[in-house]
Amino acid sequence: MKLHLYQVDAFTNHLFGGNPAAVIPLDQWISDSLMQRLAMENNLSETVFFVPSSKPDADYDIRWFTPASEINLCGHATLASAYVLFHVMGYSYPAIRFQSKSGILVVTRNLDKISMDFPAWKPEPVTTRPNELAAALGNISITSVHKHRDYLVEVADESIVQLCQPDFTLLKKLGHKIILTAKGNKADFVSRFFAPTVGIDEDPVTGSAHSQLIPYWAEKLGKKTLFARQLSKRGGEIWCEYIGERVTMAGQCVFFMKGEIDL
């Protein structure tokens, strides 16, 4: 069996920036164990698979795997999948409807960007902070902690986010994915994302985290349209909008390579 493999840098306008995703289009699903082994072999934060959908309200079914496990939502790999469909596979319609474990995700062409319609996950305050959280994040001073899927940890300044040096062994023991965020200087807000529990110490740019970040900062800043930066070493930019129960996030992509898997 031969499979096509594409690698795309998402949420960036230059090569070696943003978040690289491995994109593997399929005619029909292969086994879960094989998808997981391919993700482990690719050793990127996510490998994404999609197949033509048999459902009337979807064009493709989509699934995402880290090197360690399947996850329920991934922004950058969805963006990369849409880029491959629009620019490599000749998909000619203006919008793609992906059926996922987080429901229907609609992705559209938007001038030089691709825009994704995702669920809004409004995080709620955590009344009791995990005892080791501050220590696991390098003994930083924490302003507040909220949670939906992941812990959202706000700190007072962008520089704290930029300079944070987590203890990934302690973070893994906590058992949660961590979004570290602050009000931005040149962006509305900035963030970093740590997920050693699913085999990713730090994710370069994380669309799913922005399902929590967008409603959080929209309410805090009193504005619906926001610009965000993720402050990983590779860095990334996301144009955001909060529209009630949904959020939109738009970004650019750069094609890196194509290959063939021989199984």
Side-chain angles (χ1 to χ4, degrees), residues 36-60:
Q36 187 61 72
R37 282 181 286 171
L38 288 168
M40 182 179 65
E41 187 75 8
N42 289 330
N43 200 32
L44 296 173
S45 58
E46 267 84 25
T47 296
V48 57
F49 303 85
F50 58 81
V51 301
S53 182
S54 60
K55 303 173 184 67
D57 60 346
D59 302 303
Y60 292 90

Short mmCIF file of all heavy atoms in Angstrom, two decimals, residues 36-60:
data_model
loop_
_atom_site.label_atom_id
_atom_site.label_comp_id
_atom_site.label_asym_id
_atom_site.label_seq_id
_atom_site.Cartn_x
_atom_site.Cartn_y
_atom_site.Cartn_z
N GLN A 36 -1.74 5.56 14.28
CA GLN A 36 -0.92 5.95 15.43
C GLN A 36 0.56 5.68 15.18
O GLN A 36 1.42 6.49 15.55
CB GLN A 36 -1.39 5.20 16.68
CG GLN A 36 -0.70 5.66 17.96
CD GLN A 36 -0.97 7.11 18.26
OE1 GLN A 36 -2.08 7.48 18.63
NE2 GLN A 36 0.03 7.97 18.10
N ARG A 37 0.87 4.56 14.54
CA ARG A 37 2.28 4.26 14.26
C ARG A 37 2.86 5.22 13.23
O ARG A 37 4.03 5.62 13.32
CB ARG A 37 2.41 2.81 13.78
CG ARG A 37 2.36 1.79 14.91
CD ARG A 37 2.52 0.39 14.42
NE ARG A 37 1.32 -0.08 13.75
CZ ARG A 37 1.23 -1.21 13.06
NH1 ARG A 37 2.29 -1.98 12.90
NH2 ARG A 37 0.09 -1.56 12.49
N LEU A 38 2.05 5.63 12.25
CA LEU A 38 2.52 6.62 11.28
C LEU A 38 2.79 7.96 11.96
O LEU A 38 3.78 8.64 11.66
CB LEU A 38 1.49 6.79 10.16
CG LEU A 38 1.39 5.61 9.18
CD1 LEU A 38 0.15 5.76 8.31
CD2 LEU A 38 2.64 5.53 8.31
N ALA A 39 1.91 8.34 12.90
CA ALA A 39 2.13 9.59 13.64
C ALA A 39 3.40 9.51 14.48
O ALA A 39 4.17 10.48 14.57
CB ALA A 39 0.92 9.89 14.51
N MET A 40 3.62 8.36 15.09
CA MET A 40 4.85 8.18 15.88
C MET A 40 6.08 8.26 14.98
O MET A 40 7.09 8.88 15.32
CB MET A 40 4.80 6.83 16.60
CG MET A 40 6.02 6.55 17.47
SD MET A 40 5.89 4.95 18.32
CE MET A 40 5.92 3.82 16.91
N GLU A 41 5.99 7.67 13.79
CA GLU A 41 7.13 7.69 12.86
C GLU A 41 7.39 9.10 12.34
O GLU A 41 8.55 9.52 12.22
CB GLU A 41 6.84 6.75 11.69
CG GLU A 41 8.00 6.54 10.73
CD GLU A 41 9.09 5.64 11.28
OE1 GLU A 41 8.90 5.05 12.36
OE2 GLU A 41 10.14 5.54 10.64
N ASN A 42 6.33 9.86 12.06
CA ASN A 42 6.50 11.24 11.58
C ASN A 42 7.11 12.12 12.68
O ASN A 42 7.86 13.05 12.38
CB ASN A 42 5.16 11.82 11.14
CG ASN A 42 4.66 11.21 9.85
OD1 ASN A 42 5.44 10.79 9.00
ND2 ASN A 42 3.34 11.15 9.70
N ASN A 43 6.72 11.86 13.92
CA ASN A 43 7.29 12.55 15.09
C ASN A 43 7.11 14.07 15.02
O ASN A 43 7.97 14.83 15.45
CB ASN A 43 8.76 12.20 15.28
CG ASN A 43 9.24 12.48 16.69
OD1 ASN A 43 8.47 12.35 17.65
ND2 ASN A 43 10.49 12.87 16.83
N LEU A 44 5.97 14.51 14.46
CA LEU A 44 5.56 15.90 14.53
C LEU A 44 4.47 16.02 15.59
O LEU A 44 3.92 15.00 16.03
CB LEU A 44 5.05 16.39 13.17
CG LEU A 44 6.07 16.40 12.03
CD1 LEU A 44 5.38 16.73 10.72
CD2 LEU A 44 7.19 17.39 12.31
N SER A 45 4.13 17.24 15.96
CA SER A 45 3.11 17.38 17.00
C SER A 45 1.79 16.74 16.57
O SER A 45 1.09 16.16 17.40
CB SER A 45 2.91 18.84 17.38
OG SER A 45 2.52 19.62 16.27
N GLU A 46 1.45 16.84 15.28
CA GLU A 46 0.27 16.14 14.78
C GLU A 46 0.47 15.61 13.37
O GLU A 46 1.10 16.27 12.54
CB GLU A 46 -0.97 17.06 14.76
CG GLU A 46 -1.84 16.99 16.00
CD GLU A 46 -1.32 17.88 17.10
OE1 GLU A 46 -0.62 18.86 16.79
OE2 GLU A 46 -1.61 17.58 18.27
N THR A 47 -0.08 14.42 13.16
CA THR A 47 -0.29 13.88 11.82
C THR A 47 -1.79 13.79 11.62
O THR A 47 -2.52 13.29 12.49
CB THR A 47 0.35 12.49 11.68
OG1 THR A 47 1.78 12.60 11.83
CG2 THR A 47 0.03 11.88 10.31
N VAL A 48 -2.27 14.31 10.49
CA VAL A 48 -3.70 14.37 10.24
C VAL A 48 -4.06 13.48 9.07
O VAL A 48 -3.32 13.39 8.08
CB VAL A 48 -4.16 15.84 9.98
CG1 VAL A 48 -3.41 16.47 8.82
CG2 VAL A 48 -5.66 15.92 9.75
N PHE A 49 -5.20 12.81 9.20
CA PHE A 49 -5.72 11.93 8.15
C PHE A 49 -7.14 12.40 7.81
O PHE A 49 -7.90 12.79 8.70
CB PHE A 49 -5.80 10.48 8.64
CG PHE A 49 -4.49 9.92 9.13
CD1 PHE A 49 -4.07 10.13 10.44
CD2 PHE A 49 -3.67 9.18 8.28
CE1 PHE A 49 -2.87 9.61 10.91
CE2 PHE A 49 -2.47 8.65 8.74
CZ PHE A 49 -2.06 8.87 10.05
N PHE A 50 -7.49 12.36 6.53
CA PHE A 50 -8.87 12.65 6.17
C PHE A 50 -9.30 11.75 5.02
O PHE A 50 -8.47 11.30 4.21
CB PHE A 50 -9.10 14.13 5.84
CG PHE A 50 -8.25 14.69 4.72
CD1 PHE A 50 -8.60 14.51 3.40
CD2 PHE A 50 -7.11 15.44 5.02
CE1 PHE A 50 -7.84 15.04 2.37
CE2 PHE A 50 -6.34 15.98 4.00
CZ PHE A 50 -6.70 15.78 2.68
N VAL A 51 -10.61 11.47 4.97
CA VAL A 51 -11.21 10.64 3.92
C VAL A 51 -12.46 11.34 3.41
O VAL A 51 -13.09 12.12 4.14
CB VAL A 51 -11.59 9.23 4.44
CG1 VAL A 51 -10.38 8.49 4.98
CG2 VAL A 51 -12.69 9.30 5.48
N PRO A 52 -12.86 11.09 2.14
CA PRO A 52 -14.14 11.62 1.67
C PRO A 52 -15.27 11.14 2.57
O PRO A 52 -15.31 9.97 2.96
CB PRO A 52 -14.27 11.05 0.26
CG PRO A 52 -12.85 10.78 -0.17
CD PRO A 52 -12.14 10.35 1.08
N SER A 53 -16.18 12.04 2.93
CA SER A 53 -17.24 11.70 3.88
C SER A 53 -18.46 11.14 3.16
O SER A 53 -18.80 11.57 2.05
CB SER A 53 -17.64 12.94 4.68
OG SER A 53 -18.63 12.60 5.64
N SER A 54 -19.12 10.22 3.83
CA SER A 54 -20.39 9.69 3.32
C SER A 54 -21.58 10.45 3.91
O SER A 54 -22.73 10.18 3.56
CB SER A 54 -20.52 8.21 3.69
OG SER A 54 -20.48 8.04 5.10
N LYS A 55 -21.31 11.41 4.79
CA LYS A 55 -22.38 12.15 5.46
C LYS A 55 -22.82 13.32 4.59
O LYS A 55 -21.99 13.99 3.97
CB LYS A 55 -21.92 12.63 6.82
CG LYS A 55 -21.43 11.49 7.73
CD LYS A 55 -20.81 12.02 9.00
CE LYS A 55 -20.24 10.88 9.84
NZ LYS A 55 -19.08 10.23 9.19
N PRO A 56 -24.12 13.63 4.54
CA PRO A 56 -24.61 14.69 3.64
C PRO A 56 -24.16 16.09 4.03
O PRO A 56 -24.12 16.98 3.17
CB PRO A 56 -26.14 14.56 3.73
CG PRO A 56 -26.40 13.89 5.03
CD PRO A 56 -25.23 12.96 5.25
N ASP A 57 -23.81 16.31 5.30
CA ASP A 57 -23.43 17.66 5.75
C ASP A 57 -21.92 17.84 5.85
O ASP A 57 -21.45 18.81 6.42
CB ASP A 57 -24.08 17.99 7.09
CG ASP A 57 -23.68 17.02 8.20
OD1 ASP A 57 -23.13 15.94 7.87
OD2 ASP A 57 -23.90 17.34 9.38
N ALA A 58 -21.14 16.90 5.30
CA ALA A 58 -19.68 16.99 5.39
C ALA A 58 -19.06 16.59 4.06
O ALA A 58 -19.61 15.79 3.29
CB ALA A 58 -19.15 16.11 6.51
N ASP A 59 -17.88 17.17 3.79
CA ASP A 59 -17.12 16.81 2.60
C ASP A 59 -16.05 15.76 2.91
O ASP A 59 -15.79 14.87 2.12
CB ASP A 59 -16.45 18.06 2.01
CG ASP A 59 -17.47 19.12 1.65
OD1 ASP A 59 -18.39 18.83 0.86
OD2 ASP A 59 -17.37 20.25 2.19
N TYR A 60 -15.44 15.89 4.09
CA TYR A 60 -14.39 14.95 4.52
C TYR A 60 -14.55 14.67 6.01
O TYR A 60 -15.01 15.53 6.78
CB TYR A 60 -12.99 15.54 4.27
CG TYR A 60 -12.64 15.67 2.81
CD1 TYR A 60 -12.94 16.84 2.12
CD2 TYR A 60 -12.05 14.63 2.10
CE1 TYR A 60 -12.65 16.97 0.77
CE2 TYR A 60 -11.75 14.75 0.76
CZ TYR A 60 -12.06 15.92 0.09
OH TYR A 60 -11.77 16.04 -1.25
#
